[in-house]
Amino acid sequence: MAGYSRLMGQDEDATITALNACRAIFRDRIEAHRGRVVDTAGDSVLAVFDSVVEAVQCANEVQAELGTRDQDLPDDRQMLFRVGVNLGDVIEQDDGTIYGDGVNVAARLESLAEPGGICLSGSAHEQVEGKTDLGFQDIGEHDVKNIARPVHAYRVVLDAQVGSVPPGRVQAPPDKPSIAVLPFANLSGDPEQEYFADGISEDLITAFSGMRWLLVIARHSTFSYKGRSPDVRDVGRELGVRYVLEGSVRKGGDRIRITAQLIDAADGTHVCAHRYDRKLADIFDLQDEITLAIAGAIEPELAQIERERARREPPDNLDAWDLCQRGLWHFWQFNKDDNAEARRLFRRAIEIDPRFAAAHANLSYTHYVDTVFAYADSPQQSIALAQAAAKQAIAIDDKDATAHCVLGRALTAGGLHSAAIDELRAALDLNPSFAQAHQGLGVALCFDGQAAEAVTEFEAARRLSPHDPYFWAFEAVGAAPHISLGQFQEAARLCRSALRRPGVGFWAYANLASALGNLGHGDEARSMLAKTLELNPDFSREWFDRVWLNVDSSHTTPYFEGLRKAGLDNAGGPAADPLSR
């Protein structure tokens, strides 16, 4: 019974009378379902059944009857029970008492149940699923007291609870990460700021909903926690989510501070935290800016955690989602062997689930990387494969932002700049905080002769995802439009910053060589060109034109002029007398 000590403290005689009445209901229903009451010590009832289905149906009927019994009483006087159901071996004594792990696990499951609720072990759920009209919610594995192994638990959605369960409460699929965005707290002491705090929360729900790989709990469920300070572990269990995002808004004078914390709902540990201080100007523009900043910062954090989680999974346990996440871990290492392994894993995911759009989209990405990182023997053949895989992903799910992004990038390499820009903008319509789509759009715009607009897109990518595994490219590739605009110092600054980041590719050295060549920094430019050729011996104007089709030479003249001054001749390799001009 939940709250037994509290009820006894309020009215001992009334509590004992009510408890005996409840026990009579338990005994009647247990016997009706061919069970046997073993013990009624304290405030508990222990029973055994020959059938798990009978045990669960019994528990359901008991909770339904108890729920109507006290419905007219004040909340603090209602008598609510938690029920745990386990399938396991027990040891029975001559006097009928039972012992063993089977009993202990049932007791721990009871403690995981909500007041008025029922919680099943995984073994019990396997026997019951599909044999009753009840719904079940997977609430994951739990480390419980005095049990060596984690207990996998399922919550029963009771008939009597249907009206009280917040709408939108869902069972988060075990193969898909999930998040609940709680209402941001208004710490300003200014009721006028309440709408701003709510607006941030609502916009973040919308932004995360654009990330097709992420299950996002609806507003009407998460806002049921408004004005409360719940334990995020309870939120995770109640809503069936892996992550919880909470935050606050504090206004002071003409400034406002917004904080956001991403929390692992399983154990309550903080994954990451972000703080934003801004001046209050146009409140709605500020709301949009903060929403994009928070969503853009948190998405790669979540994605990295999921990749690491999948990488640690034993190979026999990998399903399509885990294979895809494991593939992404290899993909983001940015080397030829890992890219090939990523492609193998994405193909395995597609074999398991041919309708898994994300696997097709990520397969496309590996072919694109083969091309632009000089891994492919035939760049345009790889680009054709990239385009085909991305189109397949879109055919399966035209709301997949990654698929539109990768198709846009493959179309850019194929020289179809206008179509590429359309696809990349479609990706951003679906997910405005998608930093890699901003970066891809920057490349397409640069090759289309819109260098100034390209600069803006690269800046958006860097602002939205400062911890992105591709951040070095946001800087190094983002240097290219600055070179086109003659802004060589800024281009060099971005490339130098990129070289301090992990996973950096040869493009950072090549672009720095161009910027330094244009600045007349001879020795350093030559050194950067040598490093470029070490990483990509085929690098040349001719190789560039085979990878990037239909690029107007006027858009790349400053770039190759800088490389010429760094010592690169048209055929590739250093000129005989570099920097002599």
Side-chain angles (χ1 to χ4, degrees), residues 22 25-26 61-70 79 81:
C22 291
I25 294 172
F26 269 99
E61 292 174 12
V62 166
Q63 293 291 34
E65 189 168 345
L66 292 176
T68 58
R69 176 186 180 277
D70 288 350
M79 193 162 282
F81 287 79

Side-chain angles (χ1 to χ4, degrees), residues 531-550:
K531 184 64 176 177
T532 303
L533 293 170
E534 176 187 331
L535 296 172
N536 178 11
D538 294 331
F539 186 79
S540 64
R541 177 62 184 263
E542 187 272 334
W543 177 85
F544 183 96
D545 289 340
R546 281 193 292 118
V547 171
W548 304 104
L549 298 183
N550 301 331

Side-chain angles (χ1 to χ4, degrees), residues 34-279:
R34 296 179 296 165
R36 176 172 66 87
V37 175
V38 174
D39 195 1
T40 56
D43 62 337
S44 67
V45 176
L46 175 63
V48 291
F49 295 80
D50 293 329
S51 162
V52 180
V53 173
E54 294 280 357
V56 174
Q57 289 176 334
C58 172
N60 181 41
E61 292 174 12
V62 166
Q63 293 291 34
E65 189 168 345
L66 292 176
T68 58
R69 176 186 180 277
D70 288 350
Q71 61 185 359
D72 295 329
L73 293 177
D75 289 348
D76 63 349
R77 291 302 302 167
Q78 291 185 9
M79 193 162 282
L80 299 174
F81 287 79
R82 300 182 177 93
V83 178
V85 181
N86 181 43
L87 171 63
D89 290 335
V90 296
I91 301 169
E92 185 171 359
Q93 302 294 312
D94 292 338
D95 61 359
T97 56
I98 57 174
Y99 302 93
D101 251 6
V103 178
N104 295 336
V105 171
R108 301 303 174 229
L109 288 164
E110 172 267 316
S111 67
L112 294 174
E114 300 171 348
I118 304 169
C119 196
L120 274 68
S121 66
S123 58
H125 174 260
E126 286 180 9
Q127 298 299 315
V128 174
E129 189 177 30
K131 299 177 183 177
T132 73
D133 294 331
L134 297 173
F136 299 92
Q137 180 182 27
D138 186 343
I139 60 173
E141 292 189 337
H142 298 263
D143 293 317
V144 296
K145 184 178 179 181
N146 295 332
I147 303 296
R149 64 192 184 283
V151 174
H152 197 162
Y154 290 80
R155 170 184 172 274
V156 178
V157 180
L158 297 170
D159 295 338
Q161 290 180 316
V162 170
S164 63
V165 175
R169 182 175 291 184
V170 298
Q171 177 179 337
D175 62 347
K176 188 174 185 180
S178 47
I179 188 170
V181 180
L182 296 184
F184 274 39
N186 173 22
L187 305 181
S188 304
D190 177 4
E192 291 295 319
Q193 296 306 312
E194 197 72 26
Y195 76 93
F196 180 77
D198 287 351
I200 291 287
S201 306
E202 291 172 357
D203 284 356
L204 281 168
I205 291 170
T206 301
F208 285 128
S209 296
M211 303 170 191
R212 304 287 285 178
W213 56 275
L214 184 64
L215 186 149
V216 185
I217 300 301
R219 177 197 185 280
H220 46 253
S221 289
T222 56
F223 268 66
S224 67
Y225 295 93
K226 186 173 173 62
R228 298 158 55 188
S229 299
D231 187 318
V232 293
R233 291 169 294 185
D234 292 336
V235 174
R237 185 166 60 250
E238 290 166 10
L239 297 182
V241 294
R242 189 175 294 171
Y243 303 102
V244 173
L245 181 70
E246 62 179 12
S248 64
V249 174
R250 186 190 299 274
K251 177 179 176 290
D254 66 343
R255 298 190 66 82
I256 194 163
R257 170 172 291 177
I258 298 100
T259 63
Q261 301 90 34
L262 180 67
I263 303 169
D264 188 321
D267 55 15
T269 58
H270 279 64
V271 176
C272 63
H274 300 275
R275 188 181 77 184
Y276 304 89
D277 293 308
R278 296 289 191 274
K279 279 192 172 183

Side-chain angles (χ1 to χ4, degrees), residues 332-335 373 469-470 472 498 501-506:
W332 292 116
Q333 304 310 301
F334 287 115
N335 63 67
F373 280 74
Y470 206 43
W472 69 265
R501 299 187 182 274
V504 64
F506 71 85

